Amino acid sequence: MKAPKTHNIYSPEYECMSRDALRELQNERLRRVVKHEYDNVAIYRERMDAKGIKPEDIKTVDDLRYLPFTNKTDLRDTFPFGLLAVPKRDIVRIQGSSGTTGKPIVSGYTENDVEVWTEMVARAIVAAGGGKDDIVQVCYGYGLFTGGLGAHQGATRIGAMTVPMSSGNTQRQILMMKELGSTMLCCTPSYAIYIGETVRDMGLDPKKDLRLKSGCFGAEPWTEEMRQRLEELLDIDACDIYGLTEIAGPGVSFECLEKKGMHVNEDHVIPEIIDPVTEEPLPYGTAGELVFTTITKEGMPMLRYRTHDICVLHDEPCACGRTTVRMGRITGRTDDMLVIRGVNVFPSQIESVLVSVKGVSPFYMLIVDRVHSTDSLEVQVEIEENSFSDTVSALENIRNEISEKVKSVVGISAKITLVSPKSLPRSEGKAKRVIDNRKL
Ligand code: ADP
Ligand code: ZN
C-alpha cells in the first residue's frame, strides 16, 4: 500500500515561510550564533581573530563567506568537549558519529538542541505521510548513532505508535511488522532492501501480509534505482532523509512525498555549496561540497561545517507548499572518492551502472588493490535468484554488459565477478561497499 499523496506539514509557519521572512530570521539567528561561538569557543575566536573578523562584521547570510570553516578534524582534535559552547552541565545528551571514515566524534546537545532535532525529524516523518495514527517501526541502530534515537524522538513527537526495534534480527522485525501492522519504517535503505528480500524469503506478500505505506530512509548514499527496487519490494513510498551527527542527526533535510529532493530545515541550518578545492561558494544548481552553519544549536554549534558530501542545492518551488531549499541526492563523499590509476571513482557511479543491468542485485563490493604498483579494481556483484540458473553464456553477457558500462561511465576497466545470490555480507546499518587493500 502506498501513502496517499497528502502534503501534511508539521511546522507550516516555518516550512512555508516567505523567502524574505526566512532570510530575516536566518540573519538574526546567524548574528546570535556567531557571537555565541566567538564568546565561548577558543578555536572560533582564534580563527576569527586571525582573519581580522569580529562578530559584528557578520550581519547577514551573505557575510557567511568571511567566516572560517569547521572540519571533522577540529572535532577530533578537540575531542570530546573542546567545541562545547556551553558549560558541560548544560549538556543533556551525547551522540556520536558512526565513524564511517575514521575515529568517531561526539556532539553534545542541550535540552533545547534535543528539542530542535526532535522537531526536525517530526517534520520529516510527517512529510513522508506520517501522523498520529501511524505505527512507526524504527530499525536504525539505537545508541550513540543518531539514527535510532532520532527517528524514535520524531515519531513519538507526532504521536505515532513508536516501535523501537533497533537494527538486526530481521525475521523478528518482520514478524513484529506483520503482527503490529506497522505502517512506516525508518532504517538505512540497504537494510530496508534486505528486509524486503527477507519478507519474500519468508513467503510473505507485502500487499497482503503487511500494512507498510512509507518510510524515511537515510544515513547512507543510495540511488533512484535503489528507491524503485525498495518501493517495489515492500510496496511503499520511500523518502530520503539526510543528516549528520555534527549538525543534529537525521532530519537536517528530508523528502516530501513528491520525492524530488530533500527540504532543508533552513530555520535551523544554513546550507552552502562550495568548490571543495578553492573553497569558494557556488551558486544553486552547481554540484559541490555541502557546508552547514547551525543557527539554533546551543551545545556545539557549527560555523560552516564541511560535510564532505557532494550534492546540488536548488530553490525551485515544490508542489508540497514548503518554501525551503532542496538538496539533491548525495552523489558521493569527497572522502570516499577512490583514486584508481589516477581516475576519480565514486562507489555511487558503479552502483548506478549495476542497477541498470538486468539480472544483478544492488548488492556489490568494490575491491581495490595494487599489484606491481598498478591499481586494480574488482567489482563483485550478486546475481539475482532467477538469473542464477542462466546458461554460462547468459551470465557472460551480463558480465560483459557491466564491464562495458563501467568503462564508459567511470573511465577505467575493472574485473567483474558475479557472485551467487545473498553471498555478500548484509548490513543492518550503513552498508560497507569498498575494501581498499592499498591502505593496509
Ligand atoms: P559518519 O557516517 O561520518 O560516521 P554519521 O553517522 O553522522 O557519520 O553520518 C553522517 C553521514 O552519513 C553524512 O555526512 C553522509 O555522508 C551520510 N548520509 C546521511 N544521510 C544520507 C543520505 N540520505 N544520503 C546519503 N548520505 C547520507
Ligand atoms: Zn516538497
Side-chain angles (χ1 to χ4, degrees):
M1 180 181 55
K2 301 248 168 163
K5 217 171 178 183
T6 48
H7 285 309
N8 293 333
I9 299 181
Y10 184 79
S11 323
E13 66 281 26
Y14 291 108
E15 294 178 77
C16 305
M17 229 176 180
S18 80
R19 294 297 304 169
D20 287 345
L22 179 66
R23 226 351 98 98
E24 252 332 291
L25 182 74
Q26 288 181 324
N27 290 341
E28 183 198 316
R29 291 181 168 177
L30 175 65
R31 289 193 287 264
R32 201 167 59 203
V33 77
V34 171
K35 179 155 174 30
H36 181 56
E37 293 278 43
Y38 188 86
D39 291 347
N40 296 293
V41 182
I43 277 198
Y44 284 118
R45 192 166 45 247
E46 285 157 15
R47 287 187 186 166
M48 284 173 63
D49 284 347
K51 286 177 133 227
I53 301 164
K54 293 280 169 240
E56 314 70 90
D57 298 331
I58 308 300
K59 296 190 177 68
T60 69
V61 174
D62 294 332
D63 301 325
L64 264 181
R65 58 171 64 225
Y66 305 118
L67 288 172
F69 288 104
T70 313
N71 280 294
K72 195 165 234 164
T73 46
D74 296 323
L75 280 97
R76 291 190 180 131
D77 295 346
T78 57
F79 181 87
F81 298 130
L83 287 176
L84 281 190
V86 297
K88 219 169 23 180
R89 65 188 302 273
D90 290 341
I91 297 297
V92 301
R93 176 81 65 78
I94 288 291
Q95 299 279 168
S97 131
S98 51
T100 308
T101 53
K103 188 177 142 193
I105 51 98
V106 292
S107 186
Y109 299 61
T110 63
E111 208 175 329
N112 193 55
D113 293 340
V114 175
E115 173 61 33
V116 165
W117 174 31
T118 301
E119 187 176 317
M120 293 204 278
V121 190
R123 292 178 184 182
I125 300 175
V126 168
K132 182 158 175 47
D133 295 323
D134 280 294
I135 303 180
V136 181
Q137 185 155 333
V138 181
C139 350
Y140 283 114
Y142 279 61
L144 277 180
F145 171 51
T146 50
L149 279 161
H152 182 100
Q153 291 162 181
T156 306
R157 169 59 50 89
I158 64 168
M161 188 191 290
T162 309
V163 191
M165 291 297 289
S166 195
S167 58
N169 212 336
T170 308
Q171 298 218 352
R172 199 167 132 244
Q173 296 271 8
I174 294 166
L175 289 178
M176 286 294 272
M177 202 177 283
K178 178 167 176 276
E179 297 303 323
L180 296 174
S182 303
T183 58
M184 293 182 81
L185 196 58
C186 296
C187 61
T188 57
S190 57
Y191 190 46
I193 289 185
Y194 181 37
I195 291 178
E197 289 177 342
T198 313
V199 164
R200 309 283 167 146
D201 289 351
M202 289 165 73
L204 298 174
D205 176 355
K207 281 198 168 63
K208 290 204 206 97
D209 301 310
L210 302 179
R211 313 195 65 168
L212 288 178
K213 65 171 184 192
S214 65
C216 301
F217 304 98
E220 65 184 8
W222 51 315
T223 53
E224 219 34 58
E225 292 82 358
M226 272 181 81
R227 166 160 30 218
Q228 271 168 25
R229 203 173 275 248
L230 173 55
E231 293 194 331
E232 276 166 29
L233 270 174
L234 285 172
D235 191 34
I236 56 169
D237 279 294
C239 296
D240 201 354
I241 180 170
Y242 169 90
L244 62 168
T245 317
E246 299 86 321
I247 301 304
V252 169
S253 66
F254 57 84
E255 274 182 340
C256 64
L257 284 166
E258 293 292 324
K259 297 184 269 190
K260 294 198 181 106
M262 296 179 274
H263 289 279
V264 179
N265 275 309
E266 285 183 283
D267 50 328
H268 296 298
V269 297
I270 305 176
E272 293 174 88
I273 295 286
I274 62 159
D275 179 319
V277 179
T278 65
E279 300 186 334
E280 284 301 314
L282 296 172
Y284 287 167
T286 311
E289 181 179 338
L290 186 60
V291 168
F292 282 112
T293 298
T294 64
I295 48 175
T296 50
K297 218 174 172 191
E298 300 168 338
M300 213 188 261
M302 292 282 128
L303 299 184
R304 305 192 85 198
Y305 183 74
R306 293 188 60 164
T307 64
H308 293 288
D309 293 325
I310 297 162
C311 74
V312 178
L313 290 176
H314 63 91
D315 61 355
E316 286 115 52
C318 183
C320 71
R322 289 176 183 81
T323 50
T324 42
V325 152
R326 278 173 289 163
M327 292 168 38
R329 276 191 186 284
I330 304 291
T331 53
R333 274 162 86 130
T334 52
D335 46 10
D336 74 8
M337 183 180 82
L338 296 160
V339 183
I340 302 174
R341 300 198 286 274
V343 176
N344 298 348
V345 179
F346 286 101
S348 57
Q349 291 175 298
I350 309 244
E351 182 171 318
S352 70
V353 165
L354 296 177
V355 289
S356 73
V357 174
K358 267 208 156 43
V360 298
S361 85
F363 288 95
Y364 65 95
M365 188 68 90
L366 307 183
I367 297 160
V368 191
D369 219 328
R370 182 167 288 150
V371 184
H372 306 307
S373 64
T374 303
D375 295 336
S376 65
L377 170 65
E378 177 185 355
V379 180
Q380 294 185 348
V381 59
E382 286 180 8
I383 43 180
E384 283 192 325
E385 209 84 56
N386 45 9
S387 316
F388 195 43
S389 49
D390 280 4
T391 58
V392 174
S393 73
L395 293 177
E396 197 49 44
N397 287 344
I398 294 181
R399 205 187 340 258
N400 288 340
E401 184 183 347
I402 299 174
S403 176
E404 276 161 29
K405 284 189 172 168
V406 167
K407 179 119 206 263
S408 81
V409 171
V410 186
I412 58 168
S413 49
K415 176 181 173 203
I416 313 297
T417 310
L418 302 179
V419 301
S420 49
K422 310 217 174 80
S423 61
L424 292 176
R426 294 294 190 262
S427 146
E428 291 157 358
K430 302 194 189 220
K432 181 166 172 46
R433 312 270 198 210
V434 181
I435 299 175
D436 193 343
N437 291 322
R438 297 174 302 181
K439 289 184 182 155
L440 297 178

